Amino acid sequence: MTDKELFQQAKKLEVAWNSLKVSINALSVASVIVNYDDEWSSYFFQSQEASDLEDNLLNIANVMLKVSNVICPNDFDSSEV
């Protein structure tokens, strides 16, 4: 794999990292709010927000797996997941 190809994969991981930071912040805020407002947790899980957060985390996992497979295609055993 060339340096240019590795750099392209690194850019994908950087986008995934930024998305992960947003998800972590959202979970932190949700945790604090739930501790002080029981009704907010019902809203969070009944609204699209919980689903959006789940989708975001799944997308991050998919990006990481794809990048891993591009960089090391023969080193990953999907049965380990």
Side-chain angles (χ1 to χ4, degrees):
M1 184 165 240
T2 67
D3 287 346
K4 183 178 179 180
E5 291 169 324
L6 283 172
F7 182 72
Q8 290 171 340
Q9 297 306 314
K11 287 195 297 187
K12 292 177 185 177
L13 289 176
E14 182 179 11
V15 171
W17 168 242
N18 289 328
S19 186
L20 182 58
K21 287 190 294 187
V22 169
S23 296
I24 290 169
N25 289 339
L27 286 171
S28 295
V29 168
S31 175
V32 169
I33 292 173
V34 166
N35 287 331
Y36 295 99
D37 185 357
D38 292 337
E39 292 180 23
W40 193 87
S41 60
S42 296
Y43 163 77
F44 180 77
F45 288 106
Q46 291 173 2
S47 72
Q48 189 65 31
E49 290 186 44
S51 180
D52 290 346
L53 183 57
E54 179 182 9
D55 289 344
N56 192 38
L57 292 170
L58 287 171
N59 286 335
I60 293 166
N62 285 332
V63 166
M64 293 174 71
L65 183 59
K66 286 178 185 176
V67 168
S68 175
N69 286 335
V70 167
I71 294 172
C72 305
N74 297 323
D75 290 342
F76 180 73
D77 181 0
S78 62
S79 67
E80 295 176 1
V81 176

Coordinates of all heavy atoms in Angstrom, one line a residue:
M1 N 0.8 -1.2 0.0 CA 0.0 0.0 0.0 C 0.9 1.2 0.0 O 1.9 1.3 0.8 CB -0.9 -0.1 1.2 CG -1.9 1.0 1.3 SD -3.2 0.6 2.6 CE -4.6 0.7 1.5
T2 N 0.5 2.2 -0.8 CA 1.4 3.4 -1.0 C 1.1 4.4 0.2 O 0.0 4.3 0.8 CB 1.1 4.1 -2.3 OG1 -0.2 4.6 -2.3 CG2 1.3 3.2 -3.5
D3 N 1.9 5.4 0.3 CA 1.7 6.4 1.3 C 0.4 7.2 1.0 O -0.3 7.5 1.9 CB 2.9 7.4 1.4 CG 4.1 6.8 2.0 OD1 4.0 5.7 2.7 OD2 5.2 7.4 1.9
K4 N 0.2 7.4 -0.2 CA -1.1 8.1 -0.6 C -2.3 7.3 -0.3 O -3.3 7.9 0.3 CB -1.0 8.4 -2.1 CG -2.2 9.2 -2.6 CD -2.1 9.5 -4.1 CE -3.4 10.3 -4.5 NZ -3.3 10.6 -6.0
E5 N -2.3 6.0 -0.5 CA -3.4 5.2 -0.1 C -3.6 5.2 1.4 O -4.7 5.2 1.9 CB -3.2 3.8 -0.7 CG -3.3 3.7 -2.2 CD -2.9 2.4 -2.7 OE1 -1.9 1.8 -2.2 OE2 -3.5 1.9 -3.7
L6 N -2.5 5.1 2.1 CA -2.6 5.1 3.6 C -3.1 6.4 4.1 O -4.0 6.5 5.0 CB -1.2 4.8 4.2 CG -0.8 3.4 4.2 CD1 0.7 3.3 4.7 CD2 -1.7 2.5 5.1
F7 N -2.7 7.5 3.5 CA -3.2 8.8 3.8 C -4.7 8.9 3.6 O -5.5 9.5 4.4 CB -2.5 9.9 3.1 CG -2.9 11.3 3.5 CD1 -2.5 11.8 4.7 CD2 -3.6 12.1 2.6 CE1 -2.9 13.1 5.1 CE2 -4.0 13.4 3.0 CZ -3.7 13.9 4.2
Q8 N -5.2 8.4 2.5 CA -6.6 8.4 2.2 C -7.4 7.6 3.3 O -8.5 8.0 3.7 CB -6.9 7.8 0.8 CG -6.5 8.7 -0.3 CD -6.5 8.0 -1.7 OE1 -6.6 6.8 -1.7 NE2 -6.5 8.8 -2.7
Q9 N -6.9 6.5 3.7 CA -7.5 5.7 4.8 C -7.5 6.5 6.1 O -8.4 6.4 6.9 CB -6.9 4.3 4.9 CG -7.0 3.5 3.7 CD -8.4 3.3 3.2 OE1 -9.3 3.0 4.0 NE2 -8.6 3.5 1.9
A10 N -6.4 7.1 6.4 CA -6.3 7.9 7.6 C -7.3 9.0 7.6 O -7.8 9.3 8.7 CB -4.8 8.5 7.7
K11 N -7.6 9.7 6.5 CA -8.6 10.7 6.4 C -10.0 10.1 6.8 O -10.7 10.8 7.5 CB -8.6 11.4 5.1 CG -7.4 12.3 4.8 CD -7.6 13.2 3.6 CE -7.7 12.5 2.3 NZ -7.7 13.4 1.2
K12 N -10.2 8.9 6.3 CA -11.5 8.3 6.7 C -11.6 8.0 8.2 O -12.6 8.2 8.8 CB -11.7 6.9 5.9 CG -11.8 7.1 4.4 CD -11.9 5.7 3.7 CE -12.0 5.9 2.2 NZ -12.0 4.6 1.6
L13 N -10.5 7.6 8.8 CA -10.5 7.4 10.2 C -10.6 8.7 11.0 O -11.3 8.7 12.0 CB -9.2 6.7 10.6 CG -9.1 5.2 10.2 CD1 -7.7 4.7 10.6 CD2 -10.2 4.4 10.8
E14 N -10.1 9.8 10.5 CA -10.2 11.1 11.1 C -11.7 11.5 11.1 O -12.2 12.0 12.1 CB -9.4 12.1 10.4 CG -9.4 13.5 11.1 CD -8.6 14.5 10.4 OE1 -8.1 14.3 9.3 OE2 -8.5 15.6 11.0
V15 N -12.4 11.3 10.0 CA -13.8 11.6 10.0 C -14.6 10.8 11.0 O -15.4 11.2 11.7 CB -14.4 11.4 8.6 CG1 -15.9 11.6 8.5 CG2 -13.7 12.5 7.6
A16 N -14.2 9.5 11.0 CA -14.9 8.6 12.0 C -14.6 9.0 13.4 O -15.5 9.0 14.3 CB -14.4 7.1 11.8
W17 N -13.4 9.4 13.7 CA -13.0 9.9 15.1 C -13.8 11.1 15.5 O -14.3 11.2 16.6 CB -11.5 10.2 15.1 CG -11.1 10.9 16.4 CD1 -10.5 12.1 16.4 CD2 -11.3 10.5 17.7 NE1 -10.3 12.5 17.8 CE2 -10.8 11.5 18.6 CE3 -11.8 9.3 18.3 CZ2 -10.8 11.4 19.9 CZ3 -11.8 9.2 19.7 CH2 -11.3 10.2 20.5
N18 N -14.0 12.1 14.5 CA -14.7 13.3 14.8 C -16.2 12.9 15.1 O -16.8 13.5 16.0 CB -14.6 14.3 13.7 CG -13.3 14.9 13.7 OD1 -12.6 15.1 14.7 ND2 -12.8 15.3 12.5
S19 N -16.7 12.0 14.4 CA -18.1 11.5 14.6 C -18.2 10.8 15.9 O -19.2 10.9 16.6 CB -18.5 10.6 13.4 OG -19.8 10.2 13.5
L20 N -17.2 10.0 16.3 CA -17.2 9.3 17.6 C -17.2 10.3 18.7 O -17.9 10.2 19.7 CB -16.0 8.4 17.7 CG -15.9 7.6 18.9 CD1 -17.1 6.7 19.1 CD2 -14.6 6.7 18.9
K21 N -16.4 11.4 18.6 CA -16.4 12.4 19.6 C -17.7 13.1 19.8 O -18.2 13.3 21.0 CB -15.3 13.5 19.3 CG -13.9 13.1 19.4 CD -12.9 14.2 19.3 CE -12.9 14.8 18.0 NZ -11.8 15.9 17.8
V22 N -18.5 13.3 18.7 CA -19.8 13.8 18.8 C -20.7 12.9 19.6 O -21.5 13.3 20.4 CB -20.4 14.2 17.4 CG1 -21.9 14.5 17.5 CG2 -19.6 15.3 16.8
S23 N -20.6 11.6 19.2 CA -21.4 10.6 19.9 C -21.1 10.5 21.4 O -22.0 10.4 22.2 CB -21.2 9.2 19.3 OG -21.6 9.2 17.9
I24 N -19.8 10.6 21.7 CA -19.4 10.5 23.2 C -20.0 11.7 23.9 O -20.5 11.6 25.0 CB -17.9 10.4 23.3 CG1 -17.4 9.1 22.8 CG2 -17.4 10.7 24.7 CD1 -15.9 9.0 22.6
N25 N -19.9 12.9 23.3 CA -20.5 14.1 23.9 C -22.0 14.0 24.1 O -22.5 14.4 25.1 CB -20.1 15.3 23.1 CG -18.7 15.7 23.2 OD1 -18.0 15.3 24.1 ND2 -18.2 16.4 22.2
A26 N -22.6 13.4 23.1 CA -24.1 13.3 23.2 C -24.5 12.3 24.3 O -25.4 12.6 25.1 CB -24.7 12.7 21.9
L27 N -23.7 11.2 24.5 CA -23.9 10.3 25.6 C -23.6 10.9 26.9 O -24.4 10.7 27.9 CB -23.1 9.0 25.4 CG -23.6 8.1 24.3 CD1 -22.6 7.0 24.1 CD2 -24.9 7.5 24.7
S28 N -22.6 11.7 27.0 CA -22.3 12.4 28.2 C -23.4 13.4 28.7 O -23.8 13.4 29.8 CB -21.0 13.2 28.1 OG -19.9 12.3 27.9
V29 N -23.9 14.1 27.7 CA -25.0 15.1 28.0 C -26.2 14.3 28.4 O -26.9 14.7 29.4 CB -25.2 16.0 26.8 CG1 -26.5 16.8 26.9 CG2 -24.1 16.9 26.5
A30 N -26.5 13.3 27.7 CA -27.7 12.5 28.0 C -27.6 11.9 29.4 O -28.6 11.9 30.2 CB -27.9 11.3 27.0
S31 N -26.4 11.4 29.8 CA -26.2 10.9 31.1 C -26.5 11.9 32.2 O -27.1 11.6 33.2 CB -24.8 10.3 31.2 OG -24.5 9.9 32.5
V32 N -25.9 13.1 32.0 CA -26.1 14.2 33.0 C -27.6 14.5 33.1 O -28.1 14.7 34.2 CB -25.3 15.4 32.6 CG1 -25.6 16.6 33.5 CG2 -23.8 15.1 32.8
I33 N -28.2 14.7 32.0 CA -29.6 15.1 32.0 C -30.5 14.1 32.6 O -31.4 14.4 33.4 CB -30.1 15.5 30.5 CG1 -29.4 16.7 30.0 CG2 -31.6 15.7 30.5 CD1 -29.7 17.1 28.6
V34 N -30.3 12.8 32.3 CA -31.1 11.7 32.9 C -31.0 11.7 34.4 O -31.9 11.4 35.1 CB -30.7 10.4 32.3 CG1 -31.3 9.2 33.1 CG2 -31.2 10.3 30.8
N35 N -29.8 12.0 34.9 CA -29.6 12.1 36.4 C -30.5 13.2 37.0 O -30.7 13.1 38.2 CB -28.2 12.3 36.7 CG -27.3 11.0 36.5 OD1 -27.8 9.9 36.6 ND2 -26.1 11.2 36.1
Y36 N -30.9 14.2 36.3 CA -31.6 15.3 36.9 C -33.0 15.4 36.3 O -33.8 16.2 36.9 CB -30.9 16.6 36.6 CG -29.6 16.7 37.3 CD1 -28.4 16.4 36.7 CD2 -29.5 16.9 38.7 CE1 -27.2 16.4 37.4 CE2 -28.3 17.0 39.4 CZ -27.1 16.7 38.7 OH -25.9 16.7 39.4
D37 N -33.4 14.7 35.3 CA -34.7 14.8 34.7 C -35.1 13.5 34.1 O -34.8 13.1 33.0 CB -34.6 15.9 33.5 CG -36.0 16.1 32.9 OD1 -37.0 15.5 33.3 OD2 -36.1 17.0 32.0
D38 N -35.9 12.8 34.9 CA -36.4 11.4 34.5 C -37.2 11.4 33.3 O -37.2 10.5 32.5 CB -37.2 10.8 35.7 CG -36.4 10.5 36.9 OD1 -35.2 10.3 36.7 OD2 -37.0 10.4 38.0
E39 N -38.0 12.5 33.0 CA -38.8 12.5 31.8 C -38.0 12.7 30.5 O -38.4 12.2 29.5 CB -39.8 13.7 31.9 CG -40.8 13.4 33.0 CD -41.8 14.6 33.1 OE1 -42.0 15.3 32.2 OE2 -42.4 14.7 34.2
W40 N -36.8 13.3 30.6 CA -36.0 13.4 29.5 C -35.5 12.1 28.9 O -35.5 11.9 27.7 CB -34.8 14.3 29.7 CG -34.1 14.8 28.5 CD1 -34.4 15.8 27.7 CD2 -33.1 14.1 27.8 NE1 -33.6 15.9 26.6 CE2 -32.8 14.8 26.6 CE3 -32.3 12.9 28.0 CZ2 -31.8 14.5 25.7 CZ3 -31.3 12.6 27.1 CH2 -31.1 13.3 26.0
S41 N -35.3 11.1 29.7 CA -34.8 9.8 29.2 C -35.9 9.2 28.4 O -35.7 8.5 27.4 CB -34.4 8.9 30.4 OG -35.5 8.7 31.3
S42 N -37.2 9.4 28.8 CA -38.3 8.8 28.0 C -38.3 9.5 26.6 O -38.5 8.8 25.6 CB -39.6 9.1 28.7 OG -39.7 8.3 29.9
Y43 N -38.2 10.8 26.6 CA -38.1 11.6 25.4 C -37.0 11.1 24.5 O -37.2 10.8 23.3 CB -38.0 13.1 25.6 CG -37.5 13.8 24.4 CD1 -38.4 14.1 23.4 CD2 -36.2 14.2 24.2 CE1 -38.0 14.7 22.2 CE2 -35.8 14.8 23.1 CZ -36.7 15.1 22.1 OH -36.2 15.7 20.9
F44 N -35.8 10.9 25.1 CA -34.6 10.5 24.3 C -34.9 9.2 23.6 O -34.6 9.0 22.4 CB -33.4 10.4 25.2 CG -32.2 10.1 24.5 CD1 -31.5 11.0 23.8 CD2 -31.6 8.8 24.6 CE1 -30.3 10.6 23.1 CE2 -30.5 8.4 24.0 CZ -29.8 9.3 23.2
F45 N -35.4 8.2 24.3 CA -35.6 6.9 23.7 C -36.8 6.8 22.8 O -36.9 5.9 22.0 CB -35.5 5.8 24.8 CG -34.2 5.6 25.4 CD1 -33.9 6.1 26.7 CD2 -33.2 5.0 24.7 CE1 -32.6 6.0 27.2 CE2 -31.9 4.9 25.2 CZ -31.6 5.4 26.5
Q46 N -37.8 7.6 23.0 CA -38.9 7.6 22.2 C -38.7 8.5 20.9 O -39.5 8.3 19.9 CB -40.2 8.1 22.9 CG -40.6 7.1 24.0 CD -41.7 7.6 24.9 OE1 -42.2 8.7 24.7 NE2 -42.1 6.8 25.8
S47 N -37.8 9.4 20.9 CA -37.5 10.2 19.8 C -36.5 9.6 18.8 O -36.1 8.4 19.1 CB -36.9 11.6 20.3 OG -35.6 11.4 20.7
Q48 N -36.2 10.3 17.8 CA -35.2 9.8 16.8 C -33.8 9.9 17.3 O -32.9 9.3 16.8 CB -35.4 10.5 15.5 CG -34.7 10.0 14.3 CD -35.1 8.6 13.9 OE1 -36.3 8.3 14.0 NE2 -34.2 7.9 13.4
E49 N -33.6 10.6 18.4 CA -32.2 10.9 18.9 C -31.4 9.6 19.2 O -30.3 9.4 18.9 CB -32.2 11.8 20.0 CG -32.6 13.2 19.6 CD -32.4 14.2 20.7 OE1 -31.4 14.2 21.4 OE2 -33.3 15.1 20.9
A50 N -32.1 8.7 19.9 CA -31.4 7.4 20.3 C -31.1 6.6 19.1 O -30.0 6.0 19.0 CB -32.3 6.6 21.3
S51 N -32.0 6.6 18.1 CA -31.8 5.8 16.9 C -30.7 6.5 16.1 O -29.8 5.8 15.5 CB -33.1 5.8 16.1 OG -32.9 5.1 14.9
D52 N -30.6 7.8 16.0 CA -29.6 8.5 15.3 C -28.2 8.2 15.9 O -27.2 8.0 15.2 CB -29.8 10.0 15.3 CG -31.0 10.4 14.4 OD1 -31.5 9.6 13.6 OD2 -31.5 11.6 14.6
L53 N -28.2 8.2 17.2 CA -26.9 7.9 17.9 C -26.4 6.5 17.6 O -25.3 6.2 17.3 CB -27.0 8.1 19.4 CG -25.8 7.9 20.3 CD1 -24.7 8.8 19.8 CD2 -26.1 8.2 21.7
E54 N -27.4 5.5 17.6 CA -27.0 4.2 17.3 C -26.5 4.0 15.9 O -25.5 3.4 15.6 CB -28.3 3.3 17.5 CG -28.0 1.8 17.2 CD -29.2 0.9 17.3 OE1 -30.4 1.5 17.5 OE2 -29.1 -0.3 17.2
D55 N -27.2 4.7 14.9 CA -26.8 4.7 13.5 C -25.4 5.3 13.4 O -24.6 4.7 12.6 CB -27.8 5.4 12.7 CG -29.1 4.7 12.5 OD1 -29.2 3.5 12.8 OD2 -30.1 5.4 12.1
N56 N -25.1 6.3 14.1 CA -23.8 7.0 14.0 C -22.7 6.1 14.5 O -21.7 5.9 13.8 CB -23.9 8.3 14.8 CG -22.7 9.1 14.6 OD1 -22.2 9.2 13.4 ND2 -22.2 9.8 15.6
L57 N -23.0 5.4 15.6 CA -22.0 4.5 16.1 C -21.8 3.3 15.2 O -20.6 2.8 15.0 CB -22.4 4.0 17.5 CG -22.3 5.1 18.6 CD1 -22.9 4.7 19.9 CD2 -20.9 5.6 18.8
L58 N -22.8 2.8 14.6 CA -22.7 1.7 13.7 C -21.9 2.1 12.4 O -21.1 1.3 11.9 CB -24.1 1.1 13.2 CG -24.8 0.3 14.3 CD1 -26.2 0.0 13.9 CD2 -24.1 -1.0 14.6
N59 N -22.2 3.3 11.9 CA -21.4 3.8 10.8 C -19.9 3.9 11.1 O -19.1 3.6 10.3 CB -21.9 5.2 10.3 CG -23.3 5.1 9.6 OD1 -23.6 4.0 9.1 ND2 -24.0 6.1 9.7
I60 N -19.6 4.4 12.3 CA -18.2 4.5 12.7 C -17.6 3.1 12.7 O -16.5 2.9 12.2 CB -18.1 5.1 14.1 CG1 -18.6 6.6 14.1 CG2 -16.7 5.0 14.7 CD1 -18.8 7.2 15.4
A61 N -18.2 2.1 13.3 CA -17.7 0.8 13.3 C -17.5 0.2 11.9 O -16.5 -0.4 11.6 CB -18.7 -0.1 14.1
N62 N -18.4 0.5 11.0 CA -18.3 0.1 9.6 C -17.1 0.7 8.9 O -16.3 0.0 8.2 CB -19.6 0.3 8.8 CG -20.7 -0.6 9.2 OD1 -20.4 -1.7 9.6 ND2 -21.9 -0.2 9.1
V63 N -16.9 2.0 9.2 CA -15.7 2.7 8.6 C -14.4 2.1 9.1 O -13.5 1.8 8.3 CB -15.8 4.2 8.9 CG1 -14.4 4.9 8.6 CG2 -16.9 4.9 8.1
M64 N -14.4 1.9 10.4 CA -13.2 1.3 11.0 C -12.9 -0.1 10.4 O -11.7 -0.4 10.1 CB -13.3 1.3 12.5 CG -13.3 2.7 13.1 SD -13.7 2.7 14.9 CE -12.1 2.0 15.5
L65 N -13.9 -0.9 10.3 CA -13.7 -2.2 9.7 C -13.3 -2.2 8.3 O -12.4 -2.9 7.9 CB -15.0 -3.0 9.9 CG -15.0 -4.5 9.4 CD1 -14.0 -5.3 10.2 CD2 -16.4 -5.1 9.6
K66 N -13.9 -1.3 7.5 CA -13.5 -1.2 6.1 C -12.0 -0.7 6.0 O -11.3 -1.3 5.1 CB -14.4 -0.2 5.4 CG -15.8 -0.8 5.1 CD -16.7 0.2 4.4 CE -18.1 -0.3 4.2 NZ -19.0 0.7 3.7
V67 N -11.7 0.3 6.7 CA -10.3 0.7 6.7 C -9.3 -0.4 7.1 O -8.3 -0.6 6.5 CB -10.1 2.0 7.5 CG1 -8.6 2.3 7.7 CG2 -10.8 3.2 6.9
S68 N -9.7 -1.1 8.1 CA -8.8 -2.2 8.6 C -8.7 -3.2 7.5 O -7.6 -3.7 7.3 CB -9.5 -2.8 9.9 OG -8.7 -4.0 10.2
N69 N -9.8 -3.6 6.8 CA -9.7 -4.6 5.8 C -8.9 -4.1 4.6 O -8.3 -4.9 3.9 CB -11.1 -5.0 5.3 CG -11.8 -5.8 6.4 OD1 -11.1 -6.5 7.1 ND2 -13.1 -5.8 6.4
V70 N -8.9 -2.8 4.3 CA -8.1 -2.2 3.2 C -6.7 -2.3 3.5 O -5.8 -2.7 2.7 CB -8.6 -0.8 2.8 CG1 -7.6 -0.1 1.9 CG2 -10.0 -0.8 2.2
I71 N -6.3 -1.9 4.8 CA -4.9 -1.8 5.2 C -4.3 -3.2 5.4 O -3.2 -3.5 5.0 CB -4.8 -1.0 6.4 CG1 -5.1 0.5 6.1 CG2 -3.3 -1.1 7.0 CD1 -5.2 1.4 7.3
C72 N -5.1 -4.1 6.0 CA -4.6 -5.5 6.3 C -5.7 -6.5 5.9 O -6.4 -7.1 6.8 CB -4.4 -5.6 7.8 SG -3.2 -4.4 8.5
P73 N -5.9 -6.7 4.6 CA -7.0 -7.5 4.2 C -6.9 -9.0 4.6 O -8.0 -9.6 4.8 CB -6.9 -7.4 2.6 CG -5.5 -7.0 2.3 CD -5.1 -6.2 3.5
N74 N -5.8 -9.5 4.9 CA -5.7 -10.9 5.3 C -5.6 -11.2 6.7 O -5.5 -12.3 7.2 CB -4.5 -11.6 4.5 CG -4.7 -11.6 3.0 OD1 -5.8 -11.7 2.5 ND2 -3.6 -11.3 2.3
D75 N -5.5 -10.1 7.5 CA -5.2 -10.2 9.0 C -6.5 -10.2 9.8 O -6.4 -10.5 11.0 CB -4.4 -9.1 9.5 CG -2.9 -9.2 8.9 OD1 -2.6 -10.3 8.5 OD2 -2.2 -8.2 9.0
F76 N -7.7 -10.0 9.2 CA -8.9 -9.9 10.0 C -9.7 -11.2 9.8 O -10.0 -11.6 8.7 CB -9.7 -8.7 9.6 CG -11.0 -8.5 10.4 CD1 -10.9 -8.1 11.7 CD2 -12.2 -8.8 9.8 CE1 -12.1 -8.0 12.4 CE2 -13.4 -8.7 10.5 CZ -13.3 -8.3 11.8
D77 N -10.2 -11.7 10.9 CA -11.0 -12.9 10.9 C -12.4 -12.4 11.4 O -12.6 -12.2 12.6 CB -10.5 -14.0 11.8 CG -11.3 -15.3 11.8 OD1 -12.4 -15.3 11.1 OD2 -11.0 -16.2 12.5
S78 N -13.4 -12.3 10.5 CA -14.7 -11.8 10.9 C -15.4 -12.7 11.9 O -16.3 -12.3 12.5 CB -15.6 -11.6 9.6 OG -15.8 -12.8 9.0
S79 N -15.0 -13.9 12.0 CA -15.6 -14.8 13.0 C -15.3 -14.4 14.4 O -15.9 -14.8 15.4 CB -15.2 -16.3 12.8 OG -13.8 -16.5 13.0
E80 N -14.2 -13.5 14.6 CA -13.8 -13.1 15.9 C -14.7 -12.0 16.4 O -14.6 -11.6 17.6 CB -12.4 -12.6 15.9 CG -11.4 -13.7 15.5 CD -10.0 -13.1 15.4 OE1 -9.8 -11.9 15.6 OE2 -9.1 -13.9 15.1
V81 N -15.6 -11.4 15.6 CA -16.4 -10.3 16.0 C -17.7 -10.8 16.6 O -18.3 -11.7 16.3 CB -16.8 -9.4 14.8 CG1 -17.7 -8.3 15.2 CG2 -15.5 -8.8 14.2

